[in-house]
Amino acid sequence: MIKTLLLCTGLTLATAVAAVGFPTLQRYRIPVFPISNDSFEVIENDGAGASQLWCAASIYATEVLGQGRGTLTITRAREASQNVPGRKGVIFTTAQVKDASSSYSFSVRKPGLSFKTGTAETACPVDGLGLQVTVLR
């Protein structure tokens, strides 16, 4: 009887943990290289994916370019970086781009993909401590 009770309790806890999950702290340091007054390259780093790259782009556009209410568009999708040999990068712009399109998911593989800066900011970690953007020149 006690073994059965312990087994049921263990399974209940395991199911609850699987459903809710444990909070994790992921930290990303993402380099950004200015290209022009409205374009910049975000470099993949620390295992960051598309969401973190859009987040970094929104932080840079807001804090450096003052475009917090603007639009971000990919002008060059994920490929070999122009600034860091051996790394992948994505070039974003805050300038208006003809034939830009939006999506329901963050991707860095399609030139012309566009999001409002505020929408891209939703990809940022909730605690605000998980992503550090480093502007390099």
Side-chain angles (χ1 to χ4, degrees):
M1 177 75 169
I2 292 178
K3 286 183 182 180
T4 304
L5 184 59
L6 289 173
L7 178 62
C8 288
T9 303
L11 288 174
T12 302
L13 287 173
T15 302
V17 167
V20 176
F22 284 112
T24 58
L25 183 59
Q26 297 175 319
R27 296 203 182 270
Y28 302 97
R29 288 181 182 87
I30 300 182
V32 176
F33 287 87
I35 294 174
S36 68
N37 289 340
D38 54 17
S39 295
F40 52 95
E41 183 178 33
V42 178
I43 309 297
E44 284 186 357
N45 199 28
D46 288 341
S51 294
Q52 290 81 17
L53 298 180
W54 278 99
C55 173
S58 74
I59 291 170
Y60 181 84
T62 300
E63 295 181 7
V64 177
L65 300 179
Q67 298 290 323
R69 293 183 179 243
T71 300
L72 290 166
T73 305
I74 294 176
T75 57
R76 191 174 60 100
R78 180 186 181 269
E79 61 182 52
S81 169
Q82 291 183 354
N83 292 286
V84 183
R87 301 302 289 272
K88 300 286 185 183
V90 179
I91 296 181
F92 293 89
T93 187
T94 57
Q96 194 168 28
V97 175
K98 184 180 177 184
D99 297 329
S101 64
S102 60
S103 175
Y104 292 105
S105 62
F106 295 110
S107 172
V108 289
R109 298 185 185 273
K110 181 183 173 195
L113 185 60
S114 179
F115 286 104
K116 294 286 187 189
T117 305
T119 302
E121 186 180 343
T122 65
C124 295
V126 177
D127 62 10
L129 301 174
L131 190 127
Q132 177 183 358
V133 173
T134 306
V135 180
L136 303 171
R137 304 208 189 277

